[in-house]
Amino acid sequence: MKKAVYRGIRDMEVVEGPVPQIGPYEVLLQVKYCSICGTDIRIYHYGHFKIPPGTERVLGHEVVGVIASVGSEVRGLAPGMRVAVAPNIGCGQCEVCLRGWNQLCPDYQAFGISLDGGFQEYMKITAPAVLRGNIVGIPDGVSFEEAVLVEPLSCVYNGVEAVDIRAADVVVIIGAGPIGLLHVQMAKLKGAAKVILSETVEERLQDGARFGADVLVNPSKEDLKSVIFKETGGKGADVVITACSVPAVQQRALELAGVFGRINLFGGLPRGQETVPLNTNLIHYKQLKVTATTGSNYHQFRRSMELIAAGRVEVKSLIEGIYRLESIKDAFERVAGKASNRKVVIGFDW
Ligand SMILES: [Zn+2]
Ligand SMILES: [Zn+2]
């Protein structure tokens, strides 16, 4: 079988290798699609602390496929089932896991990071993942192309829950990449009265209306803060979500929120730019709640699949291109070079 092996910074190669062997509690997945995430790009360019030098790793954590075989002790899963795989596996025993937040477990494992992921034809799903519920069935009527976006959707689901969007809220989303467009949809589903979408790339911005954004702002052409204050009768936004990796946007978010505003600094920042001076008096005098979220837990992953199955979220049109595994480096370049406005996916015999 073919697999894309990552060996270190900007070192990745598609090679032939044996199909992984599985043990009695493990599952072998025939991968159908694995989409490229910003995290994959970051690992490719900067490495990851869970991938020590000298390690060979298959990246890719947004994976769907068909179960090829199951170990003798696996219950409830069978060959032929169409499934998505939640990437993060908690230890199952620490307090964070027991509270249901497996992705925040200090000892987490993750496909595509500490375990081989989906940029290969066959992927082994390890026993802890099988037993804890990382494998989620894809409902009839949901295509693989839709299901492959359940992971990013679940991260957005988590992000939106954390700022508790309520009916009549004015929500500002900064960044109209695939994640920003999912945030737009989730904010509307949660009952936001008005979603204001901000994006400097005009092509991305104009798509926002189709996904439910009520007001489109290009901050390189007009002042975002004035638009928000005009749209809110001078009050400022109830919720601000930064769906981009720009430090200055995090500073700006505090200015855009009104009194009691809730802010999610959703997009992680590039290495070396993580320390951002914030005017904490804005938090103080407006009694803001500032948080950030990462990944999603098992429950949120399942709920997100249900949302896709119910047709409440448009995911398929967020995919702009499918590449074969052999062209994975071109696909990575496309995403890294900001040439893509949407999701780029690696596909196997589609
Ligand atoms: Zn991801
Ligand atoms: Zn744990």
Side-chain angles (χ1 to χ4, degrees):
M1 66 157 207
K2 285 191 173 60
K3 56 180 180 175
V5 173
Y6 167 82
R7 299 199 180 91
I9 291 170
R10 291 195 190 85
D11 182 359
M12 188 164 60
E13 193 189 357
V14 177
V15 298
E16 282 288 335
V19 172
Q21 298 286 311
I22 57 163
Y25 290 94
E26 295 179 328
V27 166
L28 185 68
L29 182 77
Q30 185 186 6
V31 179
K32 286 289 177 191
Y33 292 103
C34 183
S35 51
I36 299 173
C37 174
T39 304
D40 297 312
I41 302 294
R42 267 204 298 277
I43 295 172
Y44 183 66
H45 287 280
Y46 303 104
H48 194 283
F49 73 100
K50 281 196 181 263
I51 310 177
T55 313
E56 290 200 340
R57 179 73 70 237
V58 176
L59 305 181
H61 59 268
E62 302 177 358
V63 195
V64 292
V66 176
I67 293 180
S69 60
V70 301
S72 56
E73 301 303 319
V74 172
R75 300 286 171 261
L77 298 166
M81 282 175 69
R82 303 159 70 243
V83 297
V85 183
N88 301 303
I89 312 153
C91 75
Q93 291 162 26
C94 73
E95 196 189 330
V96 178
C97 283
L98 292 172
R99 288 167 71 167
W101 293 96
N102 54 284
Q103 90 278 22
L104 299 177
C105 171
D107 252 338
Y108 80 97
Q109 299 280 320
F111 293 108
I113 297 176
S114 63
L115 303 165
D116 282 348
F119 296 138
Q120 56 181 341
E121 288 179 277
Y122 289 90
M123 170 179 154
K124 177 167 85 172
I125 302 171
T126 52
V130 173
L131 293 168
R132 293 199 183 118
N134 285 68
I135 302 177
V136 177
I138 300 173
D140 292 344
V142 176
S143 66
F144 285 118
E145 292 96 321
E146 293 168 301
V148 76
L149 290 181
V150 69
E151 197 276 335
L153 176 63
S154 72
C155 299
V156 168
Y157 187 105
N158 182 20
V160 163
E161 284 205 322
V163 284
D164 187 25
I165 295 174
R166 287 167 248 163
D169 276 348
V170 175
V171 178
V172 175
I173 290 156
I174 305 174
I179 290 290
L181 295 175
L182 288 172
H183 272 296
V184 168
Q185 297 187 68
M186 282 300 299
K188 292 301 274 191
L189 273 180
K190 294 284 272 183
K194 202 181 275 182
V195 172
I196 301 172
L197 179 65
S198 168
E199 166 67 58
T200 51
V201 179
E202 198 59 38
E203 208 185 329
R204 291 185 177 199
L205 178 64
Q206 292 310 323
D207 276 347
R210 215 159 56 70
F211 291 90
D214 302 289
V215 182
L216 306 176
V217 185
N218 185 335
S220 62
K221 294 182 183 162
E222 49 184 337
D223 182 49
L224 177 60
K225 190 175 170 184
S226 332
V227 174
I228 290 167
F229 279 73
K230 195 181 93 211
E231 294 287 342
T232 55
K235 288 189 293 184
D238 296 295
V239 171
V240 182
I241 297 171
T242 62
C244 61
S245 300
V246 183
V249 167
Q250 297 191 344
Q251 296 173 314
R252 191 83 169 130
L254 303 183
E255 299 168 16
L256 306 176
V259 174
F260 304 127
R262 287 97 67 200
I263 294 165
N264 188 342
L265 307 177
F266 184 88
L269 300 181
R271 188 173 284 187
Q273 299 179 37
E274 310 98 317
T275 305
V276 181
L278 296 178
N279 178 352
T280 61
N281 265 355
L282 292 171
I283 304 174
H284 185 73
Y285 288 112
K286 292 195 284 187
Q287 207 170 317
L288 304 178
K289 284 189 177 153
V290 183
T291 188
T293 53
T294 179
S296 62
N297 65 34
Y298 291 134
H299 183 241
Q300 292 168 329
F301 193 91
R302 279 170 166 68
R303 297 295 269 180
S304 301
M305 186 68 90
E306 288 167 17
L307 277 178
I308 295 175
R312 304 296 301 279
V313 187
E314 166 51 35
V315 283
K316 199 172 173 181
S317 59
L318 291 174
I319 295 178
E320 74 165 19
I322 302 175
Y323 284 68
R324 295 191 182 280
L325 187 66
E326 292 81 352
S327 311
I328 189 167
K329 281 171 122 175
D330 297 340
F332 267 53
E333 290 305 325
R334 184 168 176 82
V335 179
K338 310 257 187 256
S340 73
N341 292 322
R342 303 277 179 85
K343 265 313 223 191
V344 175
V345 174
I346 301 298
F348 299 82
D349 71 353
W350 76 93

